[in-house]
């Protein structure tokens, strides 16, 4: 059974800290891994990772995929209160349906 | 963990027909379900919020007469795309919320690929 597991489920840190969010997956016919940030309405797309070992970076956020160990991490450096959100990862399948297998999310709270 | 399913996973239909997509929470009751549409570059757009036993709340710009949402029970919400046209072809994702307040968690379905010919 395909599954994506995120850890921790919740995390509380202080502003300025660096956090690492984990996403492990067991997905047959794996195509790519997506990271989203969900605050209010729709999740906001952050990264799509398809190749192993290549870091993607956007400002203070970065992410990398390890296809051998079947996991990805999302790093946030110098956290700000605006980073408080639920971070979701999802695996996509290499089939014509492009189905998504979602993790349950990590709820990140940044305290001032 | 909680699971949300969608049916069908893929549907191909002719222009002008209506298509119904089901979203089910399999092991929990969801008072609120959400429908999203995925656009190019993986972005998601919230279409509507569906509350059990009441009318759905549609986001601005989403035609409620075209995208009919019914949340008939605590485990089932349906999205019907009426008189579908090729521009409605997209990937539709639902999610279901378990719990309330600060302890609530939202679980996402695997999506339904709609292709309108």
């Amino acid at each position: 059974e395909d599954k994506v597991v995120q850890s921790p489920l919740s995390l509380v840190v202080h502003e300025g800290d660096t956090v690492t969010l984990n996403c492990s997956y067991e997905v047959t016919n794996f195509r790519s891994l997506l990271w989203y940030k969900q605050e209010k309405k729709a999740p906001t797309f952050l990264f799509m990772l398809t190749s192993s070992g290549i870091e993607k970076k956007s400002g203070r956020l970065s992410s990398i995929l390890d296809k051998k160990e079947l996991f990805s991490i999302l790093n946030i450096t110098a956290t700000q209160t605006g980073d408080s959100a639920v971070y979701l990862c999802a695996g996509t399948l290499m089939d014509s349906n492009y189905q998504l297998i979602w993790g349950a999310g990590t709820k990140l709270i940044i305290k001032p | 963990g909680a699971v949300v399913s969608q049916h069908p996973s893929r549907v191909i239909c002719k222009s002008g027909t209506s298509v119904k997509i089901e979203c089910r929470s399999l092991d929990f009751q969801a008072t609120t379900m959400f429908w999203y549409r995925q656009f190019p570059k993986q972005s998601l757009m919230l279409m509507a919020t569906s509350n059990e036993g009441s009318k759905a709340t549609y986001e601005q710009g989403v035609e409620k007469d075209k995208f009919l949402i019914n949340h008939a029970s605590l485990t089932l919400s349906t999205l019907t795309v009426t008189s579908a046209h090729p521009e409605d072809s997209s990937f539709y994702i639902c999610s279901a919320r378990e719990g309330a307040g600060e302890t609530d968690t939202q679980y996402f379905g695997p999506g339904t690929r709609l292709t309108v010919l």
Side-chain angles (χ1 to χ4, degrees), chain A residues 36 41 96-97 99-100 107, chain B residues 10 42 59 102 109-111:
Chain A
Y36 288 88
K41 293 195 172 180
S96 58
N97 292 343
Q99 298 263 279
L100 296 170
K107 187 171 187 176
Chain B
R10 182 175 191 177
Q42 319 302 332
E59 295 299 307
E102 292 187 1

Side-chain angles (χ1 to χ4, degrees), chain A residues 1 34 36 38 41-43 45 48 88 92 96-104 107, chain B residues 9-10 36 38 41-42 44-46 59 91 93 102 105-111 113:
Chain A
E1 182 186 346
L34 310 178
Y36 288 88
Q38 183 173 30
K41 293 195 172 180
F45 171 71
M48 181 170 78
L88 298 157
T92 68
S96 58
N97 292 343
Y98 299 98
Q99 298 263 279
L100 296 170
I101 310 297
W102 294 86
K107 187 171 187 176
Chain B
S9 58
R10 182 175 191 177
Y36 302 88
Q38 187 180 54
K41 297 189 178 180
Q42 319 302 332
L44 295 180
M45 180 196 80
L46 178 64
E59 295 299 307
F91 195 56
I93 300 168
E102 292 187 1
T105 303
Q106 204 168 333
Y107 297 96
F108 286 78
R113 173 74 56 188

Side-chain angles (χ1 to χ4, degrees), chain A residues 17-61:
Chain A
D17 288 350
T18 293
V19 297
T20 298
L21 309 183
N22 303 291
C23 175
S24 64
Y25 63 92
E26 292 177 26
V27 176
T28 54
N29 297 318
F30 174 82
R31 185 167 69 100
S32 64
L33 192 127
L34 310 178
W35 280 98
Y36 288 88
K37 175 183 181 182
Q38 183 173 30
E39 293 174 275
K40 293 178 181 177
K41 293 195 172 180
T44 304
F45 171 71
L46 297 175
F47 299 110
M48 181 170 78
L49 305 161
T50 52
S51 300
S52 209
I54 298 175
E55 184 183 54
K56 292 220 171 176
K57 202 169 169 65
S58 176
R60 295 177 293 101
L61 276 66

